[in-house]
Amino acid sequence: MPLRFDYRPYVRAFKSPLQTAHGRWAQREGILIRLEVEGRVGFGEIAPIPWFGTETLDQAEEFCAPLARRVDLSPFPVPRNLPACEFAIAAALQSLSASPYHLKLVPARVCALLPAGEAVLTAWEEPWQKGHRTFKWKIGGYPLDLELSWFEALCSRLPASARLRLDANGGLTLEESQQWLTACDGKAAIEFLEQPLPPSQLNDLMALNHPSLTPLALDESVANCDQLENHLRKGWNGIVVVKPAIAGSPHRLQALCRKYNADAVVSSAFETGVGRQAVLALAEDISPHRALGFGTGDRCWDDWDHLSGEELWERL
Ligand SMILES: [Mg+2]
């Protein structure tokens, strides 16, 4: 069946640069793809994060360029080393045959990202007023004793129904991880401690994930379907944070979560509304109960989070 592929790269600036383990991240670059077959149109979004192990934007463009404006491309073979492209193609094919998603997020379903450091002590109040009940606080960026004292103060201020996720981005030592777990012990507000150690320390992570302690979640360790499968097969039974937009095939992700009965938290890779709708559709299936890791809404100056594929395509 004649199927036409086209793509348009995009750049969008964050309102304030994000601090990542790899330095400042000031603008999100990605690619919107468009498929057309027999008058039906579908959109998908390639939103790579190279420091999470995905393809680079250049590699994604190299994949797209030879396909552009050609026909008879079905089926699309996407190499496994291009997980963001694989997700985008699958989402676009899916949207060819389905009516567009219009999934709305209520604040209670979204985990609000709080600032690192002492600012956390009051920063939870505004998102709480808006209806958020789950919060994420990044730890590991300040001296341990300081962070632990802020943590105690935060826990004493949070309302009883609030839930708190601590995300270390793999930046703690084994000893520090144990100290954090001790500090969390007995605090009902703590939902989980996320990626205390780097992915290379899987055995230590397994040992720390004790059923009687605060649950652990893996994030950086399970950035794509191959890594997720590897960890689940090795017996990881804690929580897994998945970013579908960079994980590869959504069908494979879904099948893995089902097969291993994975306790998944679905998280954003800072997509536009196009990628987000595809991610949300998946989240309904693989993570219906835990709050979604989608920050607190608009991080960019533009209004692209609220545009349909067609509308965004016309802007680029
Ligand atoms: Mg994380």
Short mmCIF file of all heavy atoms in Angstrom, two decimals, residues 237-268:
data_model
loop_
_atom_site.label_atom_id
_atom_site.label_comp_id
_atom_site.label_asym_id
_atom_site.label_seq_id
_atom_site.Cartn_x
_atom_site.Cartn_y
_atom_site.Cartn_z
N ASN A 237 12.42 -6.98 41.06
CA ASN A 237 10.99 -6.96 41.34
C ASN A 237 10.54 -5.67 42.00
O ASN A 237 9.46 -5.57 42.57
CB ASN A 237 10.58 -8.17 42.19
CG ASN A 237 11.29 -8.17 43.54
OD1 ASN A 237 12.05 -7.24 43.83
ND2 ASN A 237 11.05 -9.17 44.36
N GLY A 238 11.43 -4.65 41.95
CA GLY A 238 11.05 -3.33 42.44
C GLY A 238 10.30 -2.58 41.34
O GLY A 238 9.86 -3.15 40.35
N ILE A 239 10.21 -1.27 41.55
CA ILE A 239 9.49 -0.43 40.59
C ILE A 239 10.42 -0.10 39.42
O ILE A 239 11.65 -0.06 39.58
CB ILE A 239 9.03 0.85 41.33
CG1 ILE A 239 8.05 0.45 42.45
CG2 ILE A 239 8.39 1.86 40.39
CD1 ILE A 239 7.98 1.44 43.58
N VAL A 240 9.84 0.13 38.25
CA VAL A 240 10.63 0.58 37.10
C VAL A 240 10.01 1.86 36.54
O VAL A 240 8.79 1.95 36.38
CB VAL A 240 10.73 -0.49 35.99
CG1 VAL A 240 11.64 -1.63 36.43
CG2 VAL A 240 9.36 -1.03 35.59
N VAL A 241 10.87 2.84 36.29
CA VAL A 241 10.40 4.08 35.66
C VAL A 241 10.67 3.95 34.17
O VAL A 241 11.81 3.73 33.76
CB VAL A 241 11.17 5.30 36.22
CG1 VAL A 241 10.70 6.59 35.53
CG2 VAL A 241 10.96 5.41 37.72
N VAL A 242 9.62 4.03 33.38
CA VAL A 242 9.82 3.90 31.93
C VAL A 242 9.43 5.19 31.21
O VAL A 242 8.43 5.82 31.55
CB VAL A 242 9.04 2.70 31.35
CG1 VAL A 242 9.64 1.39 31.84
CG2 VAL A 242 7.57 2.76 31.67
N LYS A 243 10.27 5.57 30.26
CA LYS A 243 9.99 6.72 29.40
C LYS A 243 9.69 6.14 28.02
O LYS A 243 10.60 5.90 27.23
CB LYS A 243 11.20 7.64 29.34
CG LYS A 243 11.59 8.26 30.68
CD LYS A 243 12.87 9.09 30.52
CE LYS A 243 13.19 9.88 31.78
NZ LYS A 243 13.38 9.04 32.98
N PRO A 244 8.41 5.87 27.74
CA PRO A 244 8.10 5.17 26.49
C PRO A 244 8.67 5.84 25.25
O PRO A 244 9.07 5.15 24.30
CB PRO A 244 6.57 5.17 26.47
CG PRO A 244 6.18 5.23 27.91
CD PRO A 244 7.22 6.11 28.55
N ALA A 245 8.74 7.17 25.24
CA ALA A 245 9.18 7.87 24.03
C ALA A 245 10.62 7.53 23.65
O ALA A 245 11.02 7.74 22.50
CB ALA A 245 9.03 9.38 24.20
N ILE A 246 11.40 7.02 24.60
CA ILE A 246 12.79 6.67 24.27
C ILE A 246 13.07 5.19 24.51
O ILE A 246 14.21 4.74 24.42
CB ILE A 246 13.81 7.52 25.06
CG1 ILE A 246 13.65 7.31 26.58
CG2 ILE A 246 13.70 8.99 24.70
CD1 ILE A 246 14.82 7.88 27.39
N ALA A 247 12.01 4.41 24.79
CA ALA A 247 12.23 3.01 25.16
C ALA A 247 12.25 2.06 23.97
O ALA A 247 12.69 0.93 24.08
CB ALA A 247 11.15 2.56 26.15
N GLY A 248 11.77 2.54 22.80
CA GLY A 248 11.70 1.66 21.64
C GLY A 248 10.26 1.29 21.33
O GLY A 248 9.35 2.11 21.52
N SER A 249 10.03 0.05 20.90
CA SER A 249 8.69 -0.36 20.47
C SER A 249 7.69 -0.33 21.63
O SER A 249 7.88 -1.00 22.64
CB SER A 249 8.76 -1.79 19.91
OG SER A 249 7.47 -2.37 19.94
N PRO A 250 6.59 0.42 21.48
CA PRO A 250 5.58 0.43 22.54
C PRO A 250 4.91 -0.93 22.72
O PRO A 250 4.50 -1.28 23.83
CB PRO A 250 4.56 1.48 22.06
CG PRO A 250 4.85 1.72 20.64
CD PRO A 250 6.26 1.33 20.37
N HIS A 251 4.83 -1.72 21.64
CA HIS A 251 4.21 -3.04 21.76
C HIS A 251 5.10 -3.96 22.60
O HIS A 251 4.62 -4.73 23.42
CB HIS A 251 4.00 -3.65 20.37
CG HIS A 251 3.31 -2.70 19.44
ND1 HIS A 251 2.03 -2.24 19.67
CD2 HIS A 251 3.73 -2.05 18.32
CE1 HIS A 251 1.69 -1.38 18.73
NE2 HIS A 251 2.70 -1.25 17.90
N ARG A 252 6.40 -3.85 22.39
CA ARG A 252 7.33 -4.67 23.17
C ARG A 252 7.31 -4.23 24.64
O ARG A 252 7.33 -5.07 25.55
CB ARG A 252 8.74 -4.54 22.58
CG ARG A 252 9.72 -5.47 23.23
CD ARG A 252 11.06 -5.46 22.53
NE ARG A 252 12.05 -6.16 23.33
CZ ARG A 252 13.31 -5.81 23.42
NH1 ARG A 252 13.77 -4.76 22.74
NH2 ARG A 252 14.14 -6.49 24.19
N LEU A 253 7.27 -2.94 24.87
CA LEU A 253 7.22 -2.42 26.24
C LEU A 253 5.99 -2.95 26.97
O LEU A 253 6.06 -3.42 28.12
CB LEU A 253 7.22 -0.89 26.20
CG LEU A 253 7.17 -0.17 27.54
CD1 LEU A 253 8.37 -0.52 28.39
CD2 LEU A 253 7.12 1.35 27.33
N GLN A 254 4.87 -2.89 26.27
CA GLN A 254 3.61 -3.37 26.83
C GLN A 254 3.71 -4.88 27.15
O GLN A 254 3.31 -5.31 28.24
CB GLN A 254 2.53 -3.18 25.76
CG GLN A 254 1.21 -2.74 26.26
CD GLN A 254 0.36 -2.18 25.10
OE1 GLN A 254 0.74 -2.23 23.93
NE2 GLN A 254 -0.78 -1.65 25.46
N ALA A 255 4.26 -5.63 26.21
CA ALA A 255 4.36 -7.08 26.39
C ALA A 255 5.29 -7.42 27.56
O ALA A 255 5.01 -8.32 28.35
CB ALA A 255 4.86 -7.73 25.10
N LEU A 256 6.39 -6.69 27.69
CA LEU A 256 7.33 -6.93 28.79
C LEU A 256 6.67 -6.66 30.14
O LEU A 256 6.82 -7.43 31.09
CB LEU A 256 8.56 -6.03 28.64
CG LEU A 256 9.64 -6.47 27.66
CD1 LEU A 256 10.70 -5.38 27.54
CD2 LEU A 256 10.26 -7.78 28.13
N CYS A 257 5.97 -5.54 30.22
CA CYS A 257 5.32 -5.18 31.48
C CYS A 257 4.30 -6.23 31.87
O CYS A 257 4.16 -6.59 33.04
CB CYS A 257 4.67 -3.80 31.38
SG CYS A 257 5.88 -2.46 31.35
N ARG A 258 3.58 -6.75 30.87
CA ARG A 258 2.58 -7.79 31.15
C ARG A 258 3.25 -9.09 31.59
O ARG A 258 2.88 -9.68 32.59
CB ARG A 258 1.75 -8.07 29.90
CG ARG A 258 0.68 -7.05 29.72
CD ARG A 258 -0.48 -7.57 28.90
NE ARG A 258 -1.31 -6.42 28.54
CZ ARG A 258 -1.61 -6.09 27.30
NH1 ARG A 258 -1.21 -6.82 26.30
NH2 ARG A 258 -2.33 -5.02 27.07
N LYS A 259 4.25 -9.50 30.81
CA LYS A 259 4.90 -10.79 31.07
C LYS A 259 5.47 -10.85 32.49
O LYS A 259 5.36 -11.86 33.17
CB LYS A 259 6.00 -11.02 30.04
CG LYS A 259 6.77 -12.32 30.23
CD LYS A 259 7.80 -12.52 29.13
CE LYS A 259 8.65 -13.75 29.44
NZ LYS A 259 9.77 -13.88 28.49
N TYR A 260 6.11 -9.77 32.91
CA TYR A 260 6.78 -9.77 34.22
C TYR A 260 5.93 -9.11 35.29
O TYR A 260 6.40 -8.91 36.41
CB TYR A 260 8.13 -9.08 34.11
CG TYR A 260 9.13 -9.87 33.30
CD1 TYR A 260 9.32 -9.63 31.96
CD2 TYR A 260 9.88 -10.89 33.90
CE1 TYR A 260 10.22 -10.36 31.20
CE2 TYR A 260 10.79 -11.63 33.16
CZ TYR A 260 10.96 -11.36 31.82
OH TYR A 260 11.85 -12.09 31.08
N ASN A 261 4.70 -8.72 34.93
CA ASN A 261 3.83 -8.05 35.89
C ASN A 261 4.57 -6.87 36.53
O ASN A 261 4.56 -6.69 37.76
CB ASN A 261 3.37 -9.05 36.95
CG ASN A 261 2.12 -8.58 37.66
OD1 ASN A 261 1.43 -7.68 37.17
ND2 ASN A 261 1.86 -9.13 38.84
N ALA A 262 5.23 -6.08 35.71
CA ALA A 262 6.11 -5.01 36.20
C ALA A 262 5.31 -3.90 36.86
O ALA A 262 4.23 -3.53 36.40
CB ALA A 262 6.91 -4.44 35.04
N ASP A 263 5.85 -3.39 37.94
CA ASP A 263 5.27 -2.25 38.64
C ASP A 263 5.90 -1.00 38.02
O ASP A 263 7.00 -0.58 38.39
CB ASP A 263 5.60 -2.36 40.14
CG ASP A 263 4.89 -1.29 40.95
OD1 ASP A 263 4.30 -0.37 40.36
OD2 ASP A 263 4.94 -1.38 42.19
N ALA A 264 5.20 -0.43 37.04
CA ALA A 264 5.82 0.64 36.23
C ALA A 264 5.29 2.02 36.59
O ALA A 264 4.13 2.19 36.93
CB ALA A 264 5.57 0.36 34.75
N VAL A 265 6.19 2.98 36.50
CA VAL A 265 5.83 4.40 36.56
C VAL A 265 6.16 4.97 35.19
O VAL A 265 7.28 4.83 34.71
CB VAL A 265 6.68 5.14 37.62
CG1 VAL A 265 6.45 6.64 37.54
CG2 VAL A 265 6.36 4.63 39.01
N VAL A 266 5.19 5.57 34.53
CA VAL A 266 5.44 6.12 33.20
C VAL A 266 5.86 7.58 33.33
O VAL A 266 5.28 8.36 34.08
CB VAL A 266 4.18 5.99 32.31
CG1 VAL A 266 4.32 6.82 31.04
CG2 VAL A 266 3.95 4.53 31.95
N SER A 267 6.91 7.91 32.60
CA SER A 267 7.51 9.22 32.73
C SER A 267 7.68 9.88 31.37
O SER A 267 7.79 9.21 30.34
CB SER A 267 8.86 9.04 33.43
OG SER A 267 9.50 10.27 33.57
N SER A 268 7.72 11.17 31.37
CA SER A 268 7.87 11.93 30.12
C SER A 268 9.34 12.02 29.72
O SER A 268 10.24 11.92 30.55
CB SER A 268 7.28 13.33 30.34
OG SER A 268 8.18 14.32 29.97
#
